[in-house]
Amino acid sequence: MDISSILQGGYQHPLSRQWQSKRQLTKAMLMYPIFISDDPDASQLIATLPGQSRWGINKLEGFLAPLVKKGLQSVILFGVPMNCNKDYRGTPADDKEGPVILAIKKIRSLFPDLYVACDVCLCEYTDHGHCGLLHPDGTINTAPSVERIAEVALSYARAGAHCVAPSDMMDGRIKSIKRALIDNGFGNKCTLMAYSAKFASSLYGPFRDAAGSAPSFGNRKCYQLPPGGRGLARRAIQRDAAEGADIIMVKPAMPYLDIISDAAQLTPDHPLACYQVSGEFAMVHAGAAAGVYALRDMAFESVDGMLRAGATLILTYFTPDFLDWLDN
Ligand SMILES: NCC[C@H](CC(=O)O)[C@@H](CN)CCC(=O)O
Ligand SMILES: [Zn+2]
């Protein structure tokens, strides 16, 4: 047997198999997406997202304390208002008594070491359900959308968010948010995580159920990237880095590993996030429930692909599970 034919000697032991992974999952790489209800005492299970709930402000301590004890280091907040007056511009998004701003303050006071990121979008707060403001004909009106998104992002920074993450996909919102943060003294205090390559995916259904954020008409194909648009994704990644993004994100993750790899190559000096979205999470659970694989094995295998592609930060609803699995 020729010497160069033998590879198995390099991974015949569990430890040498670990050494073969250039990057391994750590608790610090996990950012947990959590849903904040405007019912202060809510703890409502989300049927389409196994094990996930909408939480009211008064329940956050009981929910997060055990996870922080297990090593949770970051969360990203999604407001899921069920009792607000939605309007054309998403006015409730930066309501000082709204779920997100109250949750930022509560979490910051309860868990000073926990990193608090906030998703920034209008779709949970607009009466039309789109992520931006619209022209009368229903198309995106970019300039006022970008201005409004920056307003909301600034309000979260003022409330104490460590990071704002605009998922709206409006052209130019990164520059607008960065400008607003700098002009108001938050340029060096609040991280800007850009959902740069975010695709018009079929995998957002469970989230939209949870957040009540489905568009009331049409779809998001005119502002989320076409799944086949690798060139557009590369251009968006470079644009957002140039506009001041501190972190680049690709979303969804599993069907877009090539885009994660492109982002790692195009913006090698930025932290690179990827979001294992609600439909991916539900899909992995469904396969395990159908007996196709063991949940834990598939969860780790799904993340291994993201790490191999170059991700350094993973937004995943599996975070609580990984906190346990990484200890055992
Ligand atoms: N702001 C848009 C919400 C967006 C997808 C969508 O509904 O279009 C995501 C939240 N950032 C959904 C995330 C998920 O599916 O887990
Ligand atoms: Zn949105």
Side-chain angles (χ1 to χ4, degrees):
M1 172 74 75
D2 186 90
I3 291 175
S4 63
S5 303
I6 299 297
L7 294 181
Q8 290 173 4
Y11 58 94
Q12 97 292 9
H13 186 281
L15 186 57
S16 59
R17 279 195 284 276
Q18 275 197 56
W19 296 336
Q20 298 297 339
S21 304
K22 294 291 183 193
R23 194 182 292 122
Q24 303 210 350
L25 185 66
T26 64
K27 293 181 180 180
M29 299 171 96
L30 294 164
M31 180 178 275
Y32 186 26
I34 60 175
F35 298 96
I36 314 294
S37 168
D38 50 358
D39 168 356
D41 297 313
S43 61
Q44 300 155 335
L45 272 174
I46 301 166
T48 51
L49 268 178
Q52 309 303 306
S53 298
R54 293 183 195 88
W55 296 97
I57 298 295
N58 298 338
K59 299 284 186 175
L60 283 177
E61 182 168 12
F63 166 50
L64 290 174
L67 296 176
V68 170
K69 197 157 185 260
K70 288 179 184 176
L72 178 69
Q73 298 188 31
S74 73
V75 292
I76 181 166
L77 310 185
F78 290 92
V80 286
M82 297 298 165
N83 312 298
C84 69
N85 298 319
K86 300 186 178 186
D87 62 13
Y88 77 98
R89 64 188 291 277
T91 298
D94 50 355
D95 175 0
K96 289 189 176 23
E97 296 307 313
V100 174
I101 288 179
L102 291 178
I104 294 167
K105 293 176 177 174
K106 182 97 174 182
I107 295 171
R108 288 299 312 273
S109 66
L110 286 169
F111 308 105
D113 296 332
L114 187 61
Y115 186 90
V116 180
C118 286
D119 179 81
V120 180
C121 199
L122 301 178
C123 52
E124 296 107 318
Y125 306 97
T126 50
D127 53 9
H128 46 71
H130 281 282
C131 302
L133 277 64
L134 305 178
H135 286 295
D137 67 356
T139 55
I140 288 290
N141 189 351
T142 303
S145 296
V146 159
E147 186 183 339
R148 179 69 186 125
I149 286 284
E151 272 175 17
V152 176
L154 181 58
S155 72
Y156 296 166
R158 287 190 197 284
H162 293 106
C163 172
V164 290
S167 62
D168 57 298
M169 290 303 284
M170 300 298 128
D171 282 334
R173 92 275 202 207
I174 300 304
K175 186 189 297 183
S176 177
I177 293 171
K178 197 69 172 186
R179 185 77 268 150
L181 291 175
I182 293 167
D183 292 351
N184 291 276
F186 290 92
N188 61 337
K189 294 191 179 78
C190 186
T191 299
L192 179 46
M193 176 160 71
Y195 289 73
S196 298
K198 172 177 177 178
F199 293 86
S201 172
S202 307
L203 291 165
Y204 301 139
F207 175 95
R208 294 179 180 177
D209 291 347
S213 61
S216 61
F217 68 89
N219 54 54
R220 297 189 173 142
K221 293 181 178 178
C222 288
Y223 49 94
Q224 294 174 351
L225 303 181
R230 185 173 186 178
L232 266 175
R234 291 172 62 89
R235 290 162 65 193
I237 288 161
Q238 295 171 91
R239 172 199 60 188
D240 288 0
E243 288 190 3
D246 299 303
I247 301 174
I248 297 293
M249 192 203 302
V250 175
K251 172 190 176 184
M254 291 169 5
Y256 298 92
L257 298 182
D258 57 331
I259 308 299
I260 296 172
S261 178
D262 280 352
Q265 175 254 326
L266 291 167
T267 52
D269 302 324
H270 281 70
L272 176 51
C274 65
Y275 196 148
Q276 185 175 44
V277 298
S278 57
E280 296 178 76
F281 175 75
M283 200 160 63
V284 173
H285 266 280
V292 176
Y293 42 72
L295 182 67
R296 172 182 173 144
D297 295 346
M298 192 60 223
F300 271 105
E301 188 174 342
S302 70
V303 166
D304 277 340
M306 302 166 202
L307 295 172
R308 246 192 354 264
T312 56
L313 172 57
I314 297 178
L315 285 69
T316 177
Y317 300 100
F318 278 115
T319 295
D321 302 296
F322 280 128
L323 294 177
D324 286 331
W325 292 335
L326 286 170
D327 281 344
N328 304 297

